[in-house]
Amino acid sequence: MANLFLKQAKHYAAARPDYPAELFQFIASKTARHDLAWDVGTGSGQAAVSLAKLYKKVVGTDTSAQQLAYAPALPNVRYAHTPADLPLDGIHAAVAPPGSVDVVTVAQAFHWLDLPRFYAQVRSLLRAHGVLAAWCYTEPRVGAAVDAVFWRLYDGSEPHWAPNRKMVDDEYRSADFPFDPVDGETHTGPFEFSTQRRMDLDDYFTYIKSWSAYQTAKDNGVELLDAATVQEFADAWGGDREEVKTVRYPIFLRIGKVRP
């Protein structure tokens, strides 16, 4: 996963949406304690910042040191670079001792994980009845004209996405998720939320350039945002590139607790 984001870490930090407070409040309401959260695939720390308001300590880990370089420093957040092949005892050393974590979160990175390996780590680190929460956001919604151009671009970009991306397109609905419903719920999701960001057209292009598929295409000599596509977007945007629009991202959460 890390290699897919090496060249656009700055774009990722600048353009990716934040997550709504309601999402974190829902997750926190399902954990009995609020001492320690482990944020997996923390990237540039979008989720870790919000978790730090609800948990005494947060450990954010990522396989990409370049992404971590853009994560904000907070007094109760510690970041650690964890290679994908780090053994379980290495995870214990980097994150926390076994049975000491209240919640494990994965924001927009669950589809990149080796799930059997990851689930073994989760079960080892979580306390009894600890919670795993994994979510993704799907593609942005602006308005009919812009969205029509976007979906033509997105459909055309399919050959450049890693196969794992299909889990996001599926909103994590068919992902193997062998955990019990959290207290007060009858299923493990997905539960739906949404977030939004104010963007001008250049901001919107920065989001597209943060895609792993954008960099993969570029490495293969394909410019997804070619002159014709840029003009299509400009026309759909209304002609003024500096006009700021509300861009909405649907969010889909899977959440469960470890089985006794």
Side-chain angles (χ1 to χ4, degrees), residues 237-251:
W237 204 263
D240 181 1
R241 299 174 67 109
E242 296 183 359
E243 180 185 353
V244 176
K245 296 181 182 291
T246 298
V247 181
R248 187 180 70 84
Y249 296 82
I251 295 173

Side-chain angles (χ1 to χ4, degrees), residues 4-27:
L4 292 173
F5 293 99
L6 289 180
K7 296 182 180 179
Q8 72 267 44
K10 187 174 182 178
H11 286 319
Y12 197 101
R16 292 298 176 119
D18 293 325
Y19 305 110
E22 294 80 8
L23 171 67
F24 295 99
Q25 289 162 358
F26 178 77
I27 293 168

Side-chain angles (χ1 to χ4, degrees), residues 55-84:
Y55 291 84
K56 292 178 182 176
K57 294 181 180 179
V58 178
V59 179
T61 62
D62 205 282
T63 58
S64 170
Q66 285 83 353
Q67 291 269 24
L68 290 172
Y70 291 96
L74 293 171
N76 63 331
V77 178
R78 177 172 60 84
Y79 297 105
H81 176 225
T82 50

Side-chain angles (χ1 to χ4, degrees), residues 30-31 102 122-123 126-133 177-185 187-188 254-260:
K30 304 302 182 181
T31 64
D102 300 306
V122 168
R123 292 188 179 97
L126 281 178
R127 299 181 189 275
H129 305 292
V131 169
L132 169 63
F177 198 79
F179 297 89
D180 289 340
V182 291
D183 293 347
E185 307 299 336
H187 60 90
T188 62
R254 299 295 303 273
I255 185 170
K257 62 183 179 180
V258 289
R259 292 167 181 164

Side-chain angles (χ1 to χ4, degrees), residues 140-153:
R141 274 67 164 168
V142 181
V146 175
D147 292 354
V149 179
F150 176 87
W151 284 110
R152 287 197 294 273
L153 170 67

Side-chain angles (χ1 to χ4, degrees), residues 20 26 34 54 81 88 90 93 120 122 166 170 173 194-197 228 253-254:
F26 178 77
H34 300 87
L54 298 167
H81 176 225
L88 185 57
V122 168
K166 293 186 183 300
D170 185 49
R173 293 179 188 277
S194 69
T195 189
Q196 60 186 37
R197 186 166 183 152
L253 167 72
R254 299 295 303 273

